[in-house]
Amino acid sequence: MVIISKIPTIDEPETGIVQFLFANKYKIPENRPLLIDSLDTNRFLTFAQIKKLTLQFAAGLQDICKFGKGDVLAIFSPNQYDFFIPVYGAVAASGITTTVNPTYNIEELHYQLSQTKAKVLICHEDNIKVALAAGSQAGLNKTNIFVFGDKMVDNIHPFQSVLIGEREAVLEDLTSEQCKETIALLCFSSGTSGRSKGVMTTYFSHANLTSNITQYAAFDKNVFNSKESNRMLTVLPFYHSFGLLVNLNYGLHFGTPNYVLKRFDIFSFCKAVQDHKITFTTVVPPICLSIAKHDIVPNYDLTSLKSAYSGAAPLGPELWKETMSRLPNLKLRQLYGLTETSPVAMIQPENKMLPGSAGLLFPNMTAKIVDDDGNEVTKYGERGELLIKGPNIMKGYLNNPEASAESIDSDGYFHTGDIVLINEEEHFFIVDRKKELIKYKGFPVAPAEIESVLLSNPIIADCAVIGVYDNTQATEIIRAYVTLKDQSTASEEVGKSIMKFVAEKVVHYKQVRKIYFVAEIPRNPSGKILRRLLRDIAQLEIKKEDINKSKL
């Protein structure tokens, strides 16, 4: 069966994303602070300042960096209150922005710079040395590298002092068709099955972005609205599609003051909610775990926090209940989406939050659930892979037409790789994952990438990597099964050395958390790793470990 959204159809916008965000549909006061440094509230940008600085930045790119149509600007930084300026300044200059994980090492950053052919790089003082080294390897002109802030770092100028001048760029008018075809953002993704080289880059048109905001507005108008008493806290990273496209885009469109933290920690989170009377935030399950379990939470007044969305990974019913029991005024609602859906495809309705449900489908979207043979299921409650279609589905994967064709079929349906079922009211439930990706604290990790790193270690003959859910961290962790060339050398110390070997080559969320030595990696006759068998073995190992702990 084909599931059609129950929400009334929207008129899809026919304008560029910058024009859309600056149109001020909700009559936001021009002097309202909308982007605020949570730790230093004297650092903020009003709606008028955001517009002006974005267009000035765009002009600076054009005039100083000779940045033009289709050129790419990369942002390599943790959250900053003025993150919006370069993100949409590049788009306002008729270019494209790609956001990069600020903890990437030189090789990982170099890969993304090379793949996107970035012409300009904005970094942060925390990672400027990595930025300079990777930029040099990618052939990036050093004069086109800038830093956030107001001071020079390692002879690199802040973009504020170089690119912000008097002239304001003139926005390019785009036809309806151009909005659908012109790329605005390139966000990292691991695709539906991952690739050995690492991330793939998902590219979004202007229409993908404007449609998703409009879809959300038709679904849920109570969380984001133009009342100044509504205050949002951003702790999720802006380089990730969830933080970028929900916190930044939705917030600005509705005029919700957005208090920005550089990164999450439970102390800063609680203090910010208390001090700024935060009413809304976005979270992932590990953050929910901190709220539910940490001893310091009761020491703060968090009663202002009325609403939160949880995404990036499934939120278990028990943790959902525990989190709300700690914050009795909170309605914690799960949403579902992927980078490829720009990013939200469904949200739990406020008036019917079902434990474990991912919610209802956004307007202008259709979905199918198919079995292993590609046949549509015919009954409610039947499991199968979720296929979804709508104006918010990405254009494709950059430089990878094969992966794009595999992910989006000839009928326009995106194959999510998630196994779902729906009830008779058409609430979706994510019950498993067909694809091989591991979700560590919401970040996608391709097993093949970690296996490639492991196999570069001269002592390893074969390996396989899986994700195993850890209740104590509310996330999957990366577990590696390793066959040594000399199996007699297997030991706890060797396991630690292998984990250290991987840690030195990958970003933190891709690190192996557990090593198990095995005589042979299970494979089918064609050589494909039997990960399902390894996951079954892992569950038996977990039960055995739990029994041993209970005996202590």
Side-chain angles (χ1 to χ4, degrees):
M1 62 182 147
V2 175
I3 302 102
I4 300 172
S5 173
K6 294 176 175 291
I7 313 302
T9 301
I10 61 164
D11 292 326
E12 295 166 20
E14 298 183 350
T15 186
I17 180 63
V18 179
Q19 292 94 326
F20 179 85
L21 290 172
F22 289 169
N24 203 1
K25 177 180 178 179
Y26 296 97
K27 309 298 183 204
I28 306 161
E30 293 278 315
N31 63 351
R32 176 182 292 177
L34 288 185
L35 293 169
I36 306 124
D37 186 327
S38 182
L39 299 180
D40 180 2
T41 53
N42 291 318
R43 290 162 29 110
F44 63 84
L45 294 175
T46 65
F47 186 63
Q49 289 172 325
I50 292 167
K51 290 192 296 182
K52 186 177 183 65
L53 287 169
T54 299
L55 297 178
Q56 288 175 326
F57 182 93
L61 285 178
Q62 293 169 338
D63 298 342
I64 295 167
C65 301
K66 308 307 176 189
F67 189 92
K69 192 173 182 66
D71 284 337
V72 176
L73 174 143
I75 303 179
F76 182 52
S77 172
N79 287 359
Q80 301 291 292
Y81 78 100
D82 53 350
F83 203 93
F84 183 98
I85 306 306
V87 170
Y88 285 109
V91 178
S94 299
I96 301 167
T97 298
T98 185
T99 52
V100 188
N101 186 326
T103 63
Y104 270 0
N105 61 29
I106 294 170
E107 181 183 358
E108 290 166 324
L109 175 58
H110 170 239
Y111 179 73
Q112 191 160 342
L113 294 177
S114 299
Q115 283 291 300
T116 59
K117 297 181 172 61
K119 187 173 184 176
V120 177
L121 174 61
I122 311 291
C123 62
H124 188 271
E125 63 178 327
D126 290 352
N127 56 21
I128 196 164
K129 294 189 187 310
V130 172
L132 290 171
S136 176
Q137 288 184 16
L140 192 63
N141 192 327
K142 190 175 179 180
T143 60
N144 281 6
I145 300 177
F146 303 95
V147 67
F148 277 94
D150 54 10
K151 64 179 185 296
M152 284 185 66
V153 182
D154 288 355
N155 294 317
I156 298 299
H157 291 275
F159 73 76
Q160 292 274 9
S161 66
V162 177
L163 299 180
I164 306 294
E166 291 298 318
R167 188 175 81 83
E168 297 181 18
V170 177
L171 294 172
E172 178 186 9
D173 288 327
L174 300 174
T175 66
S176 174
E177 193 58 33
Q178 286 173 328
C179 288
K180 293 177 181 178
E181 297 301 324
T182 303
I183 305 308
L185 295 179
L186 300 168
C187 289
F188 84 94
S189 168
S190 290
T192 54
S193 62
R195 58 190 284 190
S196 60
K197 185 61 181 174
V199 300
M200 288 194 287
T201 305
T202 300
Y203 56 99
F204 302 115
S205 69
H206 288 252
N208 289 151
L209 304 175
T210 58
S211 292
N212 196 242
I213 298 169
T214 309
Q215 288 170 306
Y216 172 80
F219 188 100
D220 194 352
K221 295 180 180 178
N222 294 327
V223 171
F224 290 98
N225 61 47
S226 56
K227 295 179 181 178
E228 193 172 9
S229 59
N230 281 352
R231 297 187 177 93
M232 168 172 42
L233 178 64
T234 292
V235 296
L236 300 184
F238 282 143
Y239 74 83
H240 191 279
S241 61
F242 191 1
L244 178 66
L245 304 182
V246 174
N247 291 65
L248 204 58
N249 281 5
Y250 291 10
L252 187 71
H253 177 65
F254 288 98
T256 305
N258 188 351
Y259 291 79
V260 179
L261 274 175
K262 188 175 178 180
R263 60 180 60 89
F264 172 79
D265 70 75
I266 190 63
F267 300 95
S268 299
F269 175 88
C270 290
K271 188 174 189 304
V273 172
Q274 175 179 274
D275 292 353
H276 307 310
K277 300 291 183 280
I278 298 298
T279 61
F280 168 76
T281 191
T282 53
V283 295
V284 292
I287 292 178
C288 294
L289 187 68
S290 291
I291 295 170
K293 302 291 187 183
H294 206 289
D295 292 342
I296 66 116
V297 172
N299 298 337
Y300 290 84
D301 179 4
L302 307 181
T303 54
S304 65
L305 190 58
K306 302 293 196 301
S307 185
Y309 292 144
S310 177
L315 178 65
E318 290 305 315
L319 182 54
W320 177 68
K321 291 175 184 176
E322 279 188 83
T323 306
M324 288 195 293
S325 69
R326 264 287 176 95
L327 302 175
N329 291 341
L330 177 69
K331 284 190 174 181
L332 176 59
R333 296 155 63 193
Q334 190 162 194
L335 55 76
Y336 171 81
L338 307 97
T339 300
E340 292 86 346
T341 61
S342 311
V344 184
M346 55 186 79
I347 298 180
Q348 285 184 342
E350 191 173 32
N351 62 353
K352 192 154 191 178
M353 300 188 300
L354 301 179
S357 167
L360 299 174
L361 199 62
F362 263 15
N364 293 45
M365 296 196 75
T366 57
K368 294 192 291 187
I369 301 173
V370 300
D371 62 21
D372 289 341
D373 296 320
N375 301 314
E376 295 176 27
V377 304
T378 58
K379 298 176 183 176
Y380 293 111
E382 283 190 87
R383 297 184 176 207
E385 182 185 3
L386 174 65
L387 279 55
I388 47 179
K389 180 167 68 171
N392 52 315
I393 301 301
M394 65 168 182
K395 295 295 294 176
Y397 296 118
L398 185 70
N399 304 328
N400 200 330
E402 295 84 5
S404 300
E406 288 174 7
S407 298
I408 302 176
D409 64 29
S410 58
D411 294 324
Y413 280 94
F414 172 64
H415 294 235
T416 67
D418 287 316
I419 306 300
V420 306
L421 58 82
I422 57 170
N423 64 14
E424 291 186 356
E425 295 176 308
E426 297 186 352
H427 288 254
F428 285 78
F429 295 80
I430 314 298
V431 295
D432 201 354
R433 188 157 61 244
K434 180 179 179 180
K435 57 192 178 183
E436 295 178 346
L437 284 183
I438 300 164
K439 283 289 190 77
Y440 177 74
K441 297 189 176 180
F443 296 108
V445 181
E449 179 186 3
I450 310 306
E451 287 158 0
S452 177
V453 174
L454 285 165
L455 289 171
S456 70
N457 189 315
I459 70 171
I460 294 176
D462 198 4
C463 66
V465 167
I466 61 170
V468 177
Y469 192 82
D470 185 328
N471 285 312
T472 65
Q473 299 184 59
T475 187
E476 287 183 311
I477 63 168
I478 299 172
R479 179 182 291 216
Y481 289 86
V482 170
T483 300
L484 296 174
K485 291 180 179 177
D486 181 356
Q487 296 187 28
S488 67
T489 61
S491 67
E492 185 177 347
E493 290 71 26
V494 170
K496 288 179 180 178
S497 72
I498 292 173
M499 288 193 286
K500 184 174 184 292
F501 175 84
V502 175
E504 291 171 348
K505 297 181 180 296
V506 300
V507 70
H508 71 93
Y509 64 82
K510 297 179 184 178
Q511 294 177 18
V512 175
R513 310 291 163 169
K514 284 198 174 183
I515 295 277
Y516 286 82
F517 295 109
V518 293
E520 186 179 15
I521 300 298
R523 296 177 182 272
N524 68 11
S526 65
K528 185 177 176 63
I529 297 170
L530 299 175
R531 297 188 201 277
R532 174 63 67 185
L533 179 58
L534 287 175
R535 282 193 280 271
D536 291 342
I537 292 170
Q539 292 308 313
L540 292 174
E541 290 166 344
I542 289 169
K543 288 180 181 178
K544 184 178 178 181
E545 289 168 0
D546 288 343
I547 291 170
N548 289 337
K549 286 179 184 176
S550 67
K551 291 179 179 178
L552 296 177

